[in-house]
Short mmCIF file of all heavy atoms in Angstrom, two decimals:
data_model
loop_
_atom_site.label_atom_id
_atom_site.label_comp_id
_atom_site.label_asym_id
_atom_site.label_seq_id
_atom_site.Cartn_x
_atom_site.Cartn_y
_atom_site.Cartn_z
N GLU Q 385 21.90 34.12 1.24
CA GLU Q 385 21.88 35.57 1.01
C GLU Q 385 22.02 36.37 2.30
O GLU Q 385 22.56 37.46 2.30
CB GLU Q 385 20.59 35.98 0.30
CG GLU Q 385 20.50 35.50 -1.12
CD GLU Q 385 19.14 35.78 -1.76
OE1 GLU Q 385 18.19 36.18 -1.04
OE2 GLU Q 385 19.03 35.59 -2.98
N ARG Q 386 21.50 35.85 3.40
CA ARG Q 386 21.50 36.59 4.67
C ARG Q 386 22.44 35.96 5.69
O ARG Q 386 22.24 36.09 6.89
CB ARG Q 386 20.08 36.66 5.23
CG ARG Q 386 19.04 37.27 4.30
CD ARG Q 386 19.24 38.73 3.94
NE ARG Q 386 18.88 39.67 4.96
CZ ARG Q 386 17.67 40.18 5.14
NH1 ARG Q 386 16.68 39.84 4.38
NH2 ARG Q 386 17.46 41.05 6.10
N LYS Q 387 23.49 35.31 5.22
CA LYS Q 387 24.43 34.64 6.10
C LYS Q 387 24.99 35.57 7.17
O LYS Q 387 25.06 35.22 8.34
CB LYS Q 387 25.56 34.02 5.29
CG LYS Q 387 26.56 33.26 6.16
CD LYS Q 387 27.71 32.70 5.35
CE LYS Q 387 28.71 31.93 6.14
NZ LYS Q 387 28.92 32.25 7.52
N ASN Q 388 25.38 36.77 6.77
CA ASN Q 388 25.95 37.72 7.74
C ASN Q 388 24.96 38.05 8.84
O ASN Q 388 25.34 38.16 10.01
CB ASN Q 388 26.42 39.01 7.04
CG ASN Q 388 27.63 38.76 6.16
OD1 ASN Q 388 28.37 37.81 6.37
ND2 ASN Q 388 27.81 39.60 5.16
N LEU Q 389 23.70 38.20 8.49
CA LEU Q 389 22.67 38.47 9.49
C LEU Q 389 22.50 37.27 10.42
O LEU Q 389 22.52 37.41 11.64
CB LEU Q 389 21.34 38.78 8.80
CG LEU Q 389 20.11 38.80 9.71
CD1 LEU Q 389 20.16 39.99 10.65
CD2 LEU Q 389 18.83 38.80 8.89
N LEU Q 390 22.35 36.09 9.85
CA LEU Q 390 22.09 34.89 10.65
C LEU Q 390 23.28 34.52 11.52
O LEU Q 390 23.11 33.93 12.58
CB LEU Q 390 21.66 33.74 9.75
CG LEU Q 390 20.35 33.99 8.99
CD1 LEU Q 390 20.05 32.85 8.04
CD2 LEU Q 390 19.20 34.22 9.95
N ASP Q 391 24.49 34.87 11.09
CA ASP Q 391 25.67 34.62 11.91
C ASP Q 391 25.65 35.44 13.20
O ASP Q 391 26.36 35.11 14.16
CB ASP Q 391 26.96 34.93 11.13
CG ASP Q 391 27.30 33.85 10.11
OD1 ASP Q 391 26.68 32.76 10.16
OD2 ASP Q 391 28.16 34.10 9.25
N GLN Q 392 24.84 36.48 13.25
CA GLN Q 392 24.74 37.33 14.44
C GLN Q 392 23.75 36.79 15.46
O GLN Q 392 23.66 37.31 16.57
CB GLN Q 392 24.37 38.76 14.04
CG GLN Q 392 25.44 39.42 13.19
CD GLN Q 392 25.05 40.81 12.78
OE1 GLN Q 392 24.78 41.65 13.63
NE2 GLN Q 392 25.01 41.06 11.48
N VAL Q 393 23.02 35.76 15.09
CA VAL Q 393 22.05 35.16 16.01
C VAL Q 393 22.82 34.36 17.05
O VAL Q 393 23.58 33.45 16.71
CB VAL Q 393 21.04 34.26 15.24
CG1 VAL Q 393 20.12 33.53 16.21
CG2 VAL Q 393 20.24 35.08 14.23
N LYS Q 394 22.61 34.69 18.31
CA LYS Q 394 23.36 34.05 19.40
C LYS Q 394 22.53 33.04 20.18
O LYS Q 394 22.97 32.51 21.19
CB LYS Q 394 23.89 35.12 20.37
CG LYS Q 394 24.77 36.14 19.71
CD LYS Q 394 25.99 35.52 19.08
CE LYS Q 394 26.86 36.58 18.43
NZ LYS Q 394 27.63 36.10 17.33
N VAL Q 395 21.32 32.77 19.73
CA VAL Q 395 20.43 31.78 20.38
C VAL Q 395 20.22 30.64 19.39
O VAL Q 395 20.57 30.76 18.21
CB VAL Q 395 19.09 32.43 20.78
CG1 VAL Q 395 19.30 33.52 21.82
CG2 VAL Q 395 18.33 32.96 19.57
N PRO Q 396 19.67 29.52 19.84
CA PRO Q 396 19.43 28.42 18.90
C PRO Q 396 18.59 28.87 17.70
O PRO Q 396 17.60 29.58 17.86
CB PRO Q 396 18.67 27.40 19.74
CG PRO Q 396 19.10 27.68 21.14
CD PRO Q 396 19.28 29.17 21.21
N LEU Q 397 19.05 28.50 16.52
CA LEU Q 397 18.40 28.88 15.27
C LEU Q 397 18.06 27.60 14.51
O LEU Q 397 18.93 26.76 14.31
CB LEU Q 397 19.34 29.76 14.43
CG LEU Q 397 18.81 30.15 13.07
CD1 LEU Q 397 18.72 31.66 12.96
CD2 LEU Q 397 19.71 29.61 11.98
N TYR Q 398 16.80 27.46 14.13
CA TYR Q 398 16.33 26.28 13.39
C TYR Q 398 15.78 26.73 12.05
O TYR Q 398 15.07 27.74 11.97
CB TYR Q 398 15.24 25.55 14.17
CG TYR Q 398 15.79 24.84 15.38
CD1 TYR Q 398 15.97 25.53 16.57
CD2 TYR Q 398 16.15 23.50 15.32
CE1 TYR Q 398 16.50 24.88 17.69
CE2 TYR Q 398 16.67 22.85 16.44
CZ TYR Q 398 16.84 23.55 17.61
OH TYR Q 398 17.36 22.92 18.69
N ILE Q 399 16.09 25.97 11.02
CA ILE Q 399 15.65 26.30 9.67
C ILE Q 399 14.73 25.20 9.16
O ILE Q 399 15.09 24.02 9.21
CB ILE Q 399 16.86 26.45 8.72
CG1 ILE Q 399 17.78 27.55 9.24
CG2 ILE Q 399 16.39 26.74 7.30
CD1 ILE Q 399 19.14 27.56 8.59
N LEU Q 400 13.54 25.59 8.68
CA LEU Q 400 12.66 24.66 7.98
C LEU Q 400 13.00 24.79 6.51
O LEU Q 400 12.81 25.86 5.92
CB LEU Q 400 11.18 25.02 8.21
CG LEU Q 400 10.71 25.12 9.65
CD1 LEU Q 400 9.21 25.41 9.70
CD2 LEU Q 400 11.02 23.88 10.43
N SER Q 401 13.52 23.72 5.92
CA SER Q 401 14.05 23.79 4.57
C SER Q 401 13.72 22.52 3.80
O SER Q 401 13.20 21.55 4.35
CB SER Q 401 15.56 23.99 4.63
OG SER Q 401 16.10 24.16 3.35
N SER Q 402 14.07 22.53 2.53
CA SER Q 402 13.87 21.35 1.69
C SER Q 402 15.11 20.47 1.67
O SER Q 402 15.06 19.34 1.18
CB SER Q 402 13.53 21.77 0.26
OG SER Q 402 14.62 22.49 -0.29
N GLU Q 403 16.21 20.99 2.18
CA GLU Q 403 17.45 20.21 2.19
C GLU Q 403 18.32 20.64 3.35
O GLU Q 403 18.11 21.69 3.95
CB GLU Q 403 18.21 20.39 0.88
CG GLU Q 403 18.58 21.82 0.57
CD GLU Q 403 19.17 21.99 -0.81
OE1 GLU Q 403 18.59 21.47 -1.77
OE2 GLU Q 403 20.21 22.64 -0.92
N GLU Q 404 19.28 19.81 3.66
CA GLU Q 404 20.20 20.12 4.75
C GLU Q 404 21.03 21.34 4.41
O GLU Q 404 21.50 21.50 3.29
CB GLU Q 404 21.11 18.93 5.02
CG GLU Q 404 22.04 19.13 6.18
CD GLU Q 404 22.90 17.93 6.47
OE1 GLU Q 404 23.04 17.05 5.60
OE2 GLU Q 404 23.45 17.87 7.57
N ILE Q 405 21.20 22.20 5.39
CA ILE Q 405 22.05 23.37 5.23
C ILE Q 405 23.14 23.25 6.29
O ILE Q 405 22.87 23.35 7.48
CB ILE Q 405 21.24 24.68 5.38
CG1 ILE Q 405 20.14 24.73 4.31
CG2 ILE Q 405 22.16 25.88 5.29
CD1 ILE Q 405 19.15 25.84 4.50
N LYS Q 406 24.34 22.96 5.83
CA LYS Q 406 25.45 22.68 6.74
C LYS Q 406 25.67 23.83 7.72
O LYS Q 406 25.54 24.99 7.37
CB LYS Q 406 26.74 22.45 5.94
CG LYS Q 406 26.68 21.27 5.00
CD LYS Q 406 26.73 19.97 5.75
CE LYS Q 406 26.81 18.82 4.77
NZ LYS Q 406 26.49 17.55 5.33
N GLY Q 407 25.98 23.47 8.95
CA GLY Q 407 26.28 24.45 9.98
C GLY Q 407 25.06 24.98 10.71
O GLY Q 407 25.20 25.89 11.51
N HIS Q 408 23.88 24.44 10.40
CA HIS Q 408 22.66 24.93 11.04
C HIS Q 408 21.82 23.75 11.51
O HIS Q 408 21.91 22.65 10.98
CB HIS Q 408 21.82 25.75 10.04
CG HIS Q 408 22.48 27.02 9.63
ND1 HIS Q 408 22.50 28.14 10.42
CD2 HIS Q 408 23.15 27.34 8.50
CE1 HIS Q 408 23.14 29.11 9.78
NE2 HIS Q 408 23.55 28.64 8.63
N HIS Q 409 20.98 24.02 12.52
CA HIS Q 409 19.95 23.06 12.90
C HIS Q 409 18.89 23.14 11.80
O HIS Q 409 18.27 24.19 11.62
CB HIS Q 409 19.31 23.43 14.24
CG HIS Q 409 20.25 23.43 15.39
ND1 HIS Q 409 20.87 22.29 15.84
CD2 HIS Q 409 20.67 24.44 16.19
CE1 HIS Q 409 21.63 22.59 16.87
NE2 HIS Q 409 21.53 23.89 17.10
N CYS Q 410 18.72 22.08 11.09
CA CYS Q 410 17.87 22.13 9.91
C CYS Q 410 16.85 20.99 9.93
O CYS Q 410 17.21 19.84 10.12
CB CYS Q 410 18.76 22.04 8.67
SG CYS Q 410 17.94 22.49 7.17
N ILE Q 411 15.60 21.35 9.74
CA ILE Q 411 14.53 20.36 9.63
C ILE Q 411 14.19 20.27 8.16
O ILE Q 411 13.73 21.25 7.55
CB ILE Q 411 13.31 20.78 10.47
CG1 ILE Q 411 13.71 20.85 11.96
CG2 ILE Q 411 12.14 19.82 10.25
CD1 ILE Q 411 12.69 21.50 12.85
N TYR Q 412 14.45 19.11 7.58
CA TYR Q 412 14.27 18.93 6.14
C TYR Q 412 13.92 17.47 5.85
O TYR Q 412 14.21 16.59 6.65
CB TYR Q 412 15.56 19.31 5.41
CG TYR Q 412 16.72 18.40 5.72
CD1 TYR Q 412 17.04 17.35 4.86
CD2 TYR Q 412 17.47 18.55 6.87
CE1 TYR Q 412 18.10 16.48 5.15
CE2 TYR Q 412 18.52 17.70 7.17
CZ TYR Q 412 18.82 16.67 6.31
OH TYR Q 412 19.85 15.82 6.60
N PRO Q 413 13.28 17.22 4.71
CA PRO Q 413 12.99 15.83 4.34
C PRO Q 413 14.27 15.13 3.90
O PRO Q 413 15.04 15.68 3.12
CB PRO Q 413 11.98 15.95 3.20
CG PRO Q 413 12.18 17.32 2.66
CD PRO Q 413 12.72 18.17 3.76
N ARG Q 414 14.50 13.93 4.40
CA ARG Q 414 15.72 13.19 4.07
C ARG Q 414 15.59 12.38 2.79
O ARG Q 414 16.52 11.70 2.39
CB ARG Q 414 16.12 12.29 5.24
CG ARG Q 414 16.57 13.11 6.44
CD ARG Q 414 16.79 12.26 7.64
NE ARG Q 414 15.46 11.83 8.09
CZ ARG Q 414 15.24 10.99 9.07
NH1 ARG Q 414 16.25 10.48 9.73
NH2 ARG Q 414 14.02 10.66 9.42
N GLU Q 415 14.44 12.44 2.17
CA GLU Q 415 14.25 11.77 0.88
C GLU Q 415 13.38 12.66 0.01
O GLU Q 415 12.74 13.59 0.50
CB GLU Q 415 13.61 10.39 1.07
CG GLU Q 415 12.28 10.44 1.79
CD GLU Q 415 11.79 9.05 2.16
OE1 GLU Q 415 12.47 8.36 2.93
OE2 GLU Q 415 10.72 8.69 1.67
N ASP Q 416 13.37 12.38 -1.26
CA ASP Q 416 12.61 13.20 -2.21
C ASP Q 416 11.12 13.00 -1.99
O ASP Q 416 10.59 11.90 -2.17
CB ASP Q 416 12.99 12.83 -3.64
CG ASP Q 416 12.26 13.69 -4.65
OD1 ASP Q 416 11.73 14.75 -4.27
OD2 ASP Q 416 12.22 13.30 -5.84
N ILE Q 417 10.44 14.06 -1.59
CA ILE Q 417 8.99 14.01 -1.42
C ILE Q 417 8.30 14.96 -2.40
O ILE Q 417 7.16 15.35 -2.20
CB ILE Q 417 8.56 14.32 0.03
CG1 ILE Q 417 9.11 15.67 0.48
CG2 ILE Q 417 8.97 13.20 0.97
CD1 ILE Q 417 8.54 16.15 1.80
N GLN Q 418 9.03 15.34 -3.44
CA GLN Q 418 8.50 16.23 -4.49
C GLN Q 418 7.93 17.51 -3.89
O GLN Q 418 6.83 17.94 -4.23
CB GLN Q 418 7.48 15.49 -5.34
CG GLN Q 418 8.08 14.28 -6.03
CD GLN Q 418 7.07 13.55 -6.89
OE1 GLN Q 418 5.87 13.70 -6.74
NE2 GLN Q 418 7.58 12.77 -7.82
N LEU Q 419 8.71 18.10 -3.01
CA LEU Q 419 8.30 19.27 -2.28
C LEU Q 419 7.93 20.44 -3.19
O LEU Q 419 7.02 21.20 -2.89
CB LEU Q 419 9.45 19.68 -1.35
CG LEU Q 419 9.17 20.64 -0.24
CD1 LEU Q 419 8.09 20.11 0.69
CD2 LEU Q 419 10.44 20.90 0.55
N PHE Q 420 8.62 20.58 -4.28
CA PHE Q 420 8.39 21.72 -5.16
C PHE Q 420 7.50 21.37 -6.35
O PHE Q 420 7.41 22.14 -7.30
CB PHE Q 420 9.72 22.30 -5.63
CG PHE Q 420 10.54 22.83 -4.49
CD1 PHE Q 420 11.70 22.20 -4.11
CD2 PHE Q 420 10.12 23.94 -3.77
CE1 PHE Q 420 12.44 22.67 -3.04
CE2 PHE Q 420 10.85 24.42 -2.70
CZ PHE Q 420 12.02 23.79 -2.34
N ARG Q 421 6.84 20.24 -6.28
CA ARG Q 421 5.93 19.86 -7.36
C ARG Q 421 4.79 20.86 -7.48
O ARG Q 421 4.31 21.15 -8.57
CB ARG Q 421 5.40 18.45 -7.11
CG ARG Q 421 4.56 17.94 -8.26
CD ARG Q 421 4.24 16.49 -8.12
NE ARG Q 421 3.19 16.31 -7.13
CZ ARG Q 421 2.80 15.15 -6.67
NH1 ARG Q 421 3.40 14.04 -7.08
NH2 ARG Q 421 1.83 15.05 -5.80
N SER Q 422 4.36 21.39 -6.34
CA SER Q 422 3.29 22.39 -6.36
C SER Q 422 3.33 23.20 -5.07
O SER Q 422 3.96 22.81 -4.08
CB SER Q 422 1.93 21.71 -6.49
OG SER Q 422 1.60 21.04 -5.28
#
Side-chain angles (χ1 to χ4, degrees):
E385 291 174 350
R386 304 296 283 272
K387 182 182 181 332
N388 291 337
L389 168 70
L390 297 176
D391 284 348
Q392 296 179 57
V393 174
K394 302 300 180 208
V395 297
L397 176 120
Y398 289 84
I399 301 166
L400 305 183
S401 184
S402 63
E403 59 187 48
E404 183 178 18
I405 300 170
K406 299 287 185 197
H408 294 282
H409 298 295
C410 195
I411 298 168
Y412 65 98
R414 292 173 289 176
E415 58 189 61
D416 182 17
I417 56 170
Q418 300 181 340
L419 195 58
F420 297 111
R421 186 170 77 188
S422 71

